[in-house]
Amino acid sequence: MEFFIDTGDVEEIKTAAKWGLINGVTTNPSLIAKSGRKQADVIKEISEIIDGPISAEVIATDVDGMLKEASELAKIHDNVVIKLPLTEAGITVCKMLSDKGIKTNVTLCFSPNQALLAAKNGATYISPFIGRIDDIGHDGMALIEEIRTIYDNYGFQTQILAASVRHSTHVRDAAIVGADVATMPLNVIQKLFKHPLTDIGLETFLKDHQKSL
Ligand code: E4P
């Protein structure tokens, strides 16, 4: 499973990059707004830290506007992946960009049928938002499982990018059901390291080592 960090904060990316675990980055307009910087500047700086896919989202909602923004974003760096919303326009542009060999991440996916549309039009990644589905009392992980089955039934190469990941159990379950990638905020990645028995065990080992000196 690949790990992406889900943030527009360059300092967080630098912290996570040191662990050697991060394969890519996802951003969205809310995360970029939180950074208080221009999207192009943030994406350029990220490309100097992480050598892997960096998702940058279009703001336009019509085909022509999306294509124009995609072309500007793609110029920033070869690793830029164009993030498109799961709308009629987004899915149309997904096909146009895929046909040109430009990588895409179709976002705001909340149903297996939406994921099927993205795969049919050659999306590189599909982003099912598991946390937001859980938030409304439904089962986000079931969606990942259903998409996995559909993609495997037909041999679709679109990668399932588990998004809206809120805690470490989401990561474990997404790995069990076969998501290709999980994109996570820094605090979730940090929690993956943690287990109380590791801390207790290490404390004991260090105390015992002191006794043996
Ligand atoms: C990633 O691509 C998504 O934009 C992100 O994971 C959304 O997460 P949220 O539901 O916590 O905002």
Side-chain angles (χ1 to χ4, degrees), residues 142-155 160 177:
L143 174 60
I144 302 275
E145 223 171 335
E146 287 161 354
I147 298 172
R148 180 76 281 154
T149 301
I150 292 169
Y151 284 8
D152 290 349
N153 282 348
Y154 298 99
I160 303 173
V177 301

Side-chain angles (χ1 to χ4, degrees), residues 186-200:
L186 180 66
N187 73 306
V188 173
I189 305 171
Q190 285 169 323
K191 283 185 184 130
L192 300 180
F193 288 92
K194 296 289 175 195
H195 195 288
L197 291 179
T198 304
D199 298 337
I200 293 166

Side-chain angles (χ1 to χ4, degrees), residues 4-7 25-31 55 57 83 105-108 110 127-133 135 161-166 183-185:
F4 290 0
I5 182 166
D6 193 28
T7 185
V25 181
T26 51
T27 64
N28 65 37
S30 305
L31 294 171
S55 288
E57 190 159 341
K83 208 171 178 192
N105 174 358
V106 177
T107 190
L108 292 168
F110 295 95
S127 289
F129 275 33
I130 52 184
R132 293 193 194 187
I133 294 174
D135 288 346
L161 197 171
S164 189
V165 166
R166 302 277 168 76
T183 189
M184 301 162 260

Side-chain angles (χ1 to χ4, degrees), residues 59-70:
I59 308 298
T61 55
D62 63 300
V63 169
D64 289 346
M66 284 181 185
L67 283 171
K68 193 165 172 283
E69 282 180 34

Side-chain angles (χ1 to χ4, degrees), residues 194-210:
K194 296 289 175 195
H195 195 288
L197 291 179
T198 304
D199 298 337
I200 293 166
L202 182 59
E203 204 184 325
T204 307
F205 285 158
L206 295 179
K207 270 187 196 154
D208 290 345
H209 171 69
Q210 284 303 319

